[in-house]
Amino acid sequence: MSDKSYLDWPFFEPRHAALEQTLDSWASQHISQQHEPDVDQACRTLVRQLGAAGWLAHAIAGSEYGGAGATIDTRAICLIRETLARHNGLADFAFAMQGLGSGAICLHGSVAQRAAYLPRVARGEAIAAFALSEPQAGSDVAAMQCAAVRDGDEYVLDGEKTWISNGGIADFYVVFARTGEQPGARGISAFIVDADTPGFEIAERIEVIAPHPLARLRFNGCRIPASQRIGEAGQGFKVAMATLDVFRTSVAAAALGFARRALDEAMQRATERQMFGQMLADFQLTQAKLAQMATGIDAAALLTYRAAWQRDQGRIVTKEAAMAKLTATETAQQVIDAALQMFGGLGVVSEQPVERLYREIRALRIYEGASEVQQLIIARELLRAAKNKDM
Ligand SMILES: Cc1cc2nc3c(=O)[nH]c(=O)nc-3n(C[C@H](O)[C@H](O)[C@H](O)COP(=O)(O)OP(=O)(O)OC[C@H]3O[C@@H](n4cnc5c(N)ncnc54)[C@H](O)[C@@H]3O)c2cc1C
């Protein structure tokens, strides 16, 4: 059983601890620990369950659209992701994608767009996706080529997107495409594309080490009404970055959930496994590992909830969110690897909890900005602050 003393930290309000406790007990009763063979079906079911139980209300903003509050509560999102990740990685994924996929609509959508999409997202009746990356534009987002050309009251989309989570099961996609107002990042706009729009297709389903719905998308003369554009033309990059800014800290929280689960598993194994006439936990080498794991988790949690709390205070958290994501994902990878090592051969048996965690954590160090990108963001913010001080 995880140590929950972090819920007493000053970053939280009493409602946060209550939220975590209710979700933890709900997840114990309703979320299966097993991975279902049909990942699409499992994901659809999880989205419906999370919606029906009211958890998805926290993934969107605006009570008039079914949201839990007027604005996004970053600490609530983080606690939900951390708790779900501790129970089941796919449940965390299902929750996170409803938020990431509809985040641009929450933050910059028109009233009509919010009314049309957000209530269904909150109820788990419409599955959302966020389509930014392309084969030649991953870390370098501004290199995107997918184009949207204005034609009267419509836009015509041509190009590809790849690595799109929920690709193949989503009901709508928030798609970023080049509209060409200015070169580079300033010539991109955001659009909502319904999955049944002619000219849109799933070009390829992609299998990854921790299975979840993922696809390459193709747009071929795909016509959408101009009213499906989110925000101003040419502001798409800002829309994408604002959405990622909300959810980047929550990736750190998901990594924390995986790490806490790995520490729980390691503690249990170390106190049950006998060898050389004593328990695995009796060896100082094991104790050093456990100490390092627990310390790493607390350090990552402090950075994560600092960033979440700061964001909820209305402050800019570019550097803090990057520090949290970098530290939590890298630490979780080390914690999970150490836990797996303690299980010996059992650690690499398919579908053992530590084996699953080992596969589940890996992509978090890559998506929503790889660790190297987070390092660059932190350094850029440091250097910018130093320069401003000198002036
Ligand atoms: C499981 C999964 C789910 C995803 N879901 C989505 C989604 O829903 N929507 C979406 O739009 N995208 C999604 N992505 C895409 C993800 O955001 C990209 O994979 C990521 O941005 C990296 O882009 P890339 O894969 O093209 O790698 P590249 O850009 O080719 O980078 C490769 C590696 O280069 C290194 N690197 C990057 N920049 C630098 C630098 N400046 N200096 C030194 N090294 C550097 C990093 O180690 C990086 O991992 C997902 C990816 C995965 C793996």
Side-chain angles (χ1 to χ4, degrees):
M1 187 62 191
S2 287
D3 171 15
K4 300 276 187 77
S5 54
Y6 65 96
L7 291 169
D8 296 333
W9 288 354
F11 299 124
F12 298 115
E13 291 165 38
R15 69 192 156 88
H16 291 117
L19 176 83
E20 195 279 341
Q21 279 149 15
T22 317
L23 175 60
D24 196 25
S25 118
W26 179 85
S28 302
Q29 288 170 43
H30 295 94
I31 302 289
S32 157
Q33 302 260 338
Q34 300 304 316
H35 271 196
E36 303 295 332
D38 181 346
V39 78
D40 288 4
Q41 193 46 44
C43 218
R44 286 193 189 98
T45 305
L46 281 164
V47 170
R48 269 202 306 276
Q49 280 182 296
L50 290 165
W55 299 114
L56 292 179
H58 295 276
I60 70 155
S63 23
E64 64 274 45
Y65 307 115
T71 53
I72 293 234
D73 179 340
T74 321
R75 290 165 292 173
I77 288 197
C78 286
L79 282 172
I80 291 173
R81 289 203 63 180
E82 180 179 334
T83 307
L84 290 175
R86 212 157 23 76
H87 284 270
N88 178 325
L90 202 59
D92 162 58
F93 168 83
F95 174 83
M97 283 316 303
Q98 289 297 91
L100 185 66
S102 65
I105 302 174
C106 278
L107 295 172
H108 294 277
S110 64
V111 170
Q113 289 167 346
R114 289 181 206 181
Y117 290 93
L118 298 183
R120 291 189 292 137
V121 169
R123 291 195 298 264
E125 292 167 7
I127 296 182
F130 176 84
L132 181 67
S133 306
E134 295 182 10
Q136 301 308 322
S139 305
D140 184 7
V141 175
M144 81 167 54
Q145 291 170 3
C146 183
V149 175
R150 183 86 191 226
D151 182 15
D153 286 345
E154 295 180 320
Y155 277 94
V156 185
L157 269 66
D158 281 287
E160 286 199 344
K161 293 283 163 187
T162 195
W163 314 119
I164 306 310
S165 298
N166 277 344
I169 68 162
D171 293 287
F172 69 91
Y173 297 77
V174 168
V175 178
F176 297 86
R178 185 160 292 291
T179 36
E181 291 74 16
Q182 304 241 15
R186 282 171 296 169
I188 292 168
S189 303
F191 301 92
I192 310 169
V193 180
D194 291 322
D196 58 2
T197 310
F200 167 74
E201 63 173 352
I202 302 299
E204 178 193 11
R205 290 296 299 264
I206 306 168
E207 304 290 327
V208 281
I209 54 175
H212 67 260
L214 194 70
R216 181 161 58 87
L217 320 178
R218 185 179 296 132
F219 302 89
N220 190 0
C222 175
R223 286 185 171 268
I224 53 167
S227 58
Q228 291 293 81
R229 193 187 69 219
I230 302 174
E232 297 297 312
Q235 297 296 307
F237 188 77
K238 276 191 192 159
V239 172
M241 292 307 122
T243 311
L244 289 172
D245 228 36
V246 177
F247 289 95
R248 187 166 285 141
T249 308
S250 81
V251 179
L256 266 179
F258 291 140
R260 287 195 200 281
R261 176 66 187 269
L263 179 58
D264 284 352
E265 297 288 338
M267 291 283 290
Q268 195 176 340
R269 182 70 179 166
T271 49
E272 282 174 6
R273 176 66 168 164
Q274 284 207 323
M275 62 174 76
F276 306 108
Q278 52 186 343
M279 292 295 175
L280 181 57
D282 293 328
F283 295 98
Q284 287 189 340
L285 279 173
T286 309
Q287 291 166 15
K289 268 189 203 157
L290 292 171
Q292 203 164 358
M293 291 158 88
T295 307
I297 288 173
D298 265 11
L302 283 162
L303 284 174
T304 302
Y305 288 109
R306 175 186 69 164
W309 171 77
Q310 260 185 236
R311 192 178 179 284
D312 287 341
Q313 305 297 305
R315 298 199 225 162
I316 292 170
V317 293
T318 310
K319 184 181 73 183
E320 290 77 9
M323 285 178 166
K325 184 184 185 267
L326 173 68
T327 305
T329 57
E330 294 290 335
T331 301
Q333 182 86 62
Q334 290 161 16
V335 167
I336 292 166
D337 188 57
L340 187 150
Q341 187 74 9
M342 280 191 210
F343 275 75
L346 204 52
V348 291
V349 172
S350 296
E351 293 303 321
Q352 281 291 318
V354 286
E355 184 270 347
R356 247 177 24 220
L357 291 166
Y358 192 77
R359 288 183 286 112
E360 265 168 334
I361 188 59
R362 193 60 188 86
L364 278 65
R365 291 168 58 207
I366 297 170
Y367 64 59
E368 294 192 36
S371 291
E372 291 80 356
V373 172
Q374 305 306 331
Q375 287 173 315
L376 292 175
I377 292 172
I378 296 163
R380 186 193 64 204
E381 294 300 311
L382 286 175
L383 293 167
R384 181 185 291 164
K387 199 171 157 201
N388 288 344
K389 217 169 145 192
D390 286 348
M391 287 198 314

